[in-house]
């Protein structure tokens, strides 16, 4: 119960009345614009699915034709390719490994930074913001050299480490407000009862911040699932590519088999859809966290 | 990974202000004498990032000042000072790449902010349809960039949906080379990037709009303001601080954009869609001139530092 309250305070609770926007723009113009917005985002998704159900010859004629005989050939071909299962497995191992490792170091760091108020905090927060903003292309160049020296190229472990380094700043910055929302008094009560710092963290803070952990974990998983630049460069052969890297390698190829590619895109997106279905509310509130003043 | 910058690290201020259960006394107790024991919790992340984030930047700096190719990537870098930077600026294409970067970032930022605000205003009311459309937008944002990039490469192709519509409606006599024309390609990729960042900006703007006191709208209504005036005189001024923060985030997002360029055009035709961070990648991993690539990437890093300072200032002002 108290978890709910804590997150509420963080995300939606506002002392000011919020009835105004409800009535706003309930006119036909807004309705029309909403349909335009809907189409802008729905049509491309629809087209992925439609194209994946076409035969290559239907696509060559006219890619935008709505009249065609649906076929699941593209999926059959894709799924009968043993490489796809390896890629799927790789995607899960890498995304799950990255999520676990990132959470393992980012949760305590977010808590620590939520509770320490000193110059050190300011410096660390500033550094995290900078690292979060760095172009990934600036990391991939030195990491390629470092991983080469340390024998981490071509290994899942290397990729998990690289992805974790990429996503940790973001995860820490996202976790911190969730811990800040927990009243210090709760910790102090536990300490008066004789609990150690670590005990307080484990038994009091972790359960109270579990919405934040779920939000952060979901976002890290989504981002690690979609990451392909490290995968394309740190795996020396496409055999080890996760789905995203496999897809990227296909797109840049000449003479693209569009139905096959779109089937691959659908297969890559399905886990995201499932995750999204269960965590949408968390994501929506977690992402707006920064804006609710 | 281009989604990354879009996450707001600005959550802290909102919480700090309403830390209701927090009395000055309790704060003193926790941050006073034994308060810094919490630094212990930061240690694992700090060590990890020192090795895998700070050290790589140090190597990037060293590499940018050396002659590093494939054969000596492992060892024996020859120090060449600023020669890589000089070579970059001496290259005729470099100026064009800078211009590409500015144009690209400008398009993504303007469309990302305007589109985000417009979508937020449309989707601020509670209800079934606005809720569903918002969920659709956020889902698109959450999709892997390679998926979004490949579908747009398909849609913008010579025989893609857009060209078929344009020619069928008689708006164009021949197919528009969205991704093959020197100028159009950059705009096309930037448009797709805006399309992906709008959902995130809409989500953040929407929260800000919902937070506007209802009396403001009632007052403007009493004054007989039209909806457009309401947007101009109530909504836009009220979300000013959100706009400041989103501007920096969107600029950074556009600047470090990589995935869509890689998938849709790979920097081409020629260098028409090559932006600064992408140039660094191509120099290192396509031309295998790691020193040159590192120097380009370092220039990009320095630019981000400037943006980070602006961002930190805005966030701090927010906290006050």
């Amino acid at each position: 119960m108290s978890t709910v309250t804590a997150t509420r305070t963080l995300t939606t609770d506002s002392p000011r009345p919020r009835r105004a926007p409800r009535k706003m723009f309930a006119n036909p113009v807004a309705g029309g614009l909403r349909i335009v917005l809907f189409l802008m985002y729905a049509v491309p998704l629809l087209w992925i699915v439609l194209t994946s159900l076409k035969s290559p010859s239907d696509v060559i004629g006219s890619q935008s034709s709505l009249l065609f005989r649906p076929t699941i050939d593209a999926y059959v071909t894709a799924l009968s390719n043993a490489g796809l299962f390896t890629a799927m497995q790789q995607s899960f191992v890498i995304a799950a490994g990255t999520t676990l490792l990132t959470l393992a170091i980012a949760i305590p760091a977010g808590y620590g930074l939520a509770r320490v108020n000193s110059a050190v905090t300011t410096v660390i927060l500033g550094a995290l913001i900078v690292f979060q903003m760095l172009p990934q292309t600036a990391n991939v160049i030195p990491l390629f050299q470092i991983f080469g020296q340390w024998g981490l190229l071509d290994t899942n472990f290397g990729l998990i480490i690289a992805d974790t380094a990429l996503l940790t700043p973001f995860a820490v910055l996202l976790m911190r407000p969730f811990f800040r929302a927990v009243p210090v008094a709760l910790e102090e009560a536990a300490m008066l009862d004789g609990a150690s710092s670590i005990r307080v963290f484990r038994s009091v803070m972790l359960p109270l911040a579990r919405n934040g952990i779920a939000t952060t974990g979901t976002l890290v998983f989504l981002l690690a699932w979609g990451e392909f630049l490290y995968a394309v460069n740190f795996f020396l052969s496409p055999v080890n590519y996760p789905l995203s890297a496999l897809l990227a390698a296909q797109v840049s190829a000449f003479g693209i088999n569009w139905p096959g590619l779109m089937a691959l895109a659908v297969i890559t997106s399905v886990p995201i859809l499932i995750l999204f279905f269960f965590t949408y509310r968390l994501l929506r509130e977690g992402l707006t966290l920064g804006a609710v003043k | 990974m281009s989604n990354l910058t879009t996450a707001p690290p600005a959550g802290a201020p909102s919480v700090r202000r309403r830390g209701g259960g927090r009395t000055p006394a309790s704060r003193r107790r926790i941050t006073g004498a034994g308060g810094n024991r919490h630094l212990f919790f930061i240690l694992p992340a700090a060590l990890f990032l020192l090795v895998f984030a700070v050290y790589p930047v140090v190597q990037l700096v060293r590499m940018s000042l050396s002659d590093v190719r494939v054969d000596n990537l492992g060892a024996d870098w020859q120090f060449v000072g600023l020669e890589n930077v000089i070579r970059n600026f001496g290259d005729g294409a470099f100026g064009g790449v800078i211009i590409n970067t500015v144009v690209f970032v400008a398009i993504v930022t303007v469309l990302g902010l305007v589109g985000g605000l417009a979508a937020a205003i449309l989707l601020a009311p509670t209800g079934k349809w606005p809720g569903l459309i918002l969920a659709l937008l956020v889902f698109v944002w959450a999709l892997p960039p390679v998926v979004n990039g490949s579908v747009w490469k398909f849609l913008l192709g010579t025989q893609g949906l857009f060209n078929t519509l344009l020619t069928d409606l008689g708006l164009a006599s021949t197919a528009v080379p969205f991704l093959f024309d020197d100028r159009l390609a950059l705009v096309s990729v930037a448009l797709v990037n805006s399309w992906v960042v709008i959902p995130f900006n809409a989500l953040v703007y929407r929260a800000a709009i919902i937070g506007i006191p209802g009396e403001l709208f009632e007052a403007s209504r009493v004054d007989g303001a039209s909806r457009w005036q309401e947007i101009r005189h109530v909504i836009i001024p009220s979300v000013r601080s959100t706009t400041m923060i989103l501007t920096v985030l969107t600029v950074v997002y556009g600047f470090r954009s990589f995935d869509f360029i890689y998938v849709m055009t790979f920097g081409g035709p020629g260098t028409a869609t090559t932006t600064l961070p992408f140039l660094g990648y191509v120099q290192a991993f396509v031309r295998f001139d790691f020193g040159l690539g590192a120097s380009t990437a370092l220039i990009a890093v320095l630019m981000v530092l400037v943006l980070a300072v602006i961002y930190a200032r805005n966030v701090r002002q927010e906290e006050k």
Side-chain angles (χ1 to χ4, degrees), chain A residues 9-10 17 19-20 25 34 40-41 64 111 132 134 145 149 170 176 180 191 197 223 288 291-293, chain B residues 1 7 12 14-16 18 37-38 59 74 121-122 154 164 195 203-204 215 217-218 256 281 318:
Chain A
T9 318
L10 260 173
R19 64 210 114 107
F25 308 117
R34 268 187 216 123
M40 265 174 64
Y41 284 85
S64 52
Y111 169 58
Q132 199 201 347
L134 288 190
Q145 182 261 329
Q149 271 186 334
F170 156 71
R176 183 170 167 265
R180 280 191 83 94
M191 279 185 189
S197 295
L223 294 169
T288 43
V292 184
K293 294 282 179 282
Chain B
M1 262 330 57
S14 61
V15 184
R16 173 173 294 180
R18 66 169 73 100
R37 68 174 175 268
H38 283 105
Q59 283 296 78
I121 292 171
L122 287 172
F154 179 68
T164 315
W195 180 77
L203 204 55
V204 177
E215 300 93 69
F217 289 103
E218 276 152 32
R256 43 173 289 174
Y281 175 78
E318 280 305 294

Side-chain angles (χ1 to χ4, degrees), chain B residues 247-285:
Chain B
T247 304
V248 183
L249 285 180
T250 314
V251 167
V252 173
Y253 170 80
F255 180 74
R256 43 173 289 174
S257 177
F258 179 86
D259 310 47
F260 292 98
I261 301 175
Y262 184 100
V263 174
M264 294 175 69
T265 60
F266 206 79
T271 54
T273 53
T274 300
T275 60
L276 196 62
F278 195 82
L279 178 68
Y281 175 78
V282 170
Q283 286 169 336
F285 289 95

